[in-house]
């Protein structure tokens, strides 16, 4: 059985009592997710003691924390549907030894080992990342993305550095 959530924007308050209007407004407030608070809660559960930092400016938020042997970054560009939520962690600097073999390995891992995250290259760094728009972003998705990126990065950074480290 599927339960559909009502479209609160189309609910008319005409003819409703004050108590019913306040109740409708409270429902709307409850459905608004505070992504920054959720991110901070997840980070506090994963970060090594005293390793979490946050920066807030006009472009949004940027968090950094240490998880095992990696640093993990979380960026939230805002709260509108078009804004983005991105999590990434560097696992290997480039150039690397045998880059063709490295790229093949990363593509194979993207197919089978990365869940909702993926390997990519940013500014001469191999990173594990997950990114999506904020539209309909749930607390569970936030928690999973941060946890998956941190875990995959920590599980793979040392092996990748040993096998493919600086050329």
């Amino acid at each position: 059985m599927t339960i559909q959530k009502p479209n609160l924007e189309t609910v008319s308050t005409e003819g409703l009592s004050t108590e019913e209007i306040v109740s409708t407004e409270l429902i709307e407030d409850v459905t608004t997710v505070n992504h920054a608070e959720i991110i901070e809660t997840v980070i506090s559960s994963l970060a090594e003691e005293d390793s979490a930092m946050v920066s807030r400016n006009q472009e949004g938020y940027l968090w950094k924390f240490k998880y095992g042997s990696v640093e993990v970054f979380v960026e939230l560009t805002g709260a509108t549907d078009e804004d983005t939520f991105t999590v990434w962690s560097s696992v290997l600097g480039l150039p690397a030894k045998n880059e063709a073999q490295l790229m093949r390995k990363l593509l194979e891992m993207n197919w089978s080992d990365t869940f909702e995250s993926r390997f990519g290259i940013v500014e001469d760094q191999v990173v594990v990342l997950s990114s999506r728009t904020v539209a309909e972003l749930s607390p569970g998705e936030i928690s999973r993305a941060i946890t998956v990126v941190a875990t995959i990065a920590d599980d793979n950074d040392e092996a990748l550095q040993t096998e493919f480290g600086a050329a």
Side-chain angles (χ1 to χ4, degrees), residues 71-93:
E71 283 189 329
V72 180
F73 297 86
V74 180
E75 181 180 46
L76 181 64
T77 62
T80 70
D81 284 355
E82 294 79 32
D83 284 307
T84 58
F85 163 67
T86 306
V87 184
W88 74 94
S89 180
S90 177
V91 293
L92 178 67

Side-chain angles (χ1 to χ4, degrees), residues 14 30 34 50 114 134 149:
E14 187 175 322
V30 169
N34 186 330
D50 297 326
T114 57
V134 173
V149 168

Side-chain angles (χ1 to χ4, degrees), residues 39-57:
I39 291 167
E40 289 182 0
T41 300
V42 173
I43 289 172
S44 70
S45 73
L46 294 174
E48 292 183 6
E49 193 171 319
D50 297 326
S51 72
M53 293 184 265
V54 63
S55 170
R56 182 170 189 216
N57 59 31

Side-chain angles (χ1 to χ4, degrees), residues 37-160:
E37 284 182 12
I38 295 165
I39 291 167
E40 289 182 0
T41 300
V42 173
I43 289 172
S44 70
S45 73
L46 294 174
E48 292 183 6
E49 193 171 319
D50 297 326
S51 72
M53 293 184 265
V54 63
S55 170
R56 182 170 189 216
N57 59 31
Q58 294 166 314
E59 289 84 41
Y61 294 87
L62 178 64
W63 291 267
K64 178 175 96 170
F65 68 96
K66 183 121 174 90
Y67 182 82
S69 57
V70 296
E71 283 189 329
V72 180
F73 297 86
V74 180
E75 181 180 46
L76 181 64
T77 62
T80 70
D81 284 355
E82 294 79 32
D83 284 307
T84 58
F85 163 67
T86 306
V87 184
W88 74 94
S89 180
S90 177
V91 293
L92 178 67
L94 296 174
K97 294 183 285 193
N98 199 351
E99 285 193 15
Q101 184 181 357
L102 169 63
M103 295 307 141
R104 180 179 180 98
K105 180 177 185 82
L106 295 177
L107 285 172
E108 289 171 350
M109 292 173 75
N110 275 349
W111 168 252
S112 62
D113 299 342
T114 57
F115 303 101
E116 296 84 25
S117 69
R118 62 199 175 277
F119 286 97
I121 297 175
V122 177
E123 298 177 3
D124 290 330
Q125 294 286 316
V126 174
V127 297
V128 178
L129 72 133
S130 179
S131 185
R132 62 157 288 175
T133 62
V134 173
E136 299 180 25
L137 180 63
S138 74
E141 290 171 304
I142 292 170
S143 177
R144 181 159 173 88
I146 296 170
T147 303
V148 164
V149 168
T151 302
I152 290 174
D154 185 48
D155 288 350
N156 290 284
D157 67 321
E158 292 168 348
L160 288 171

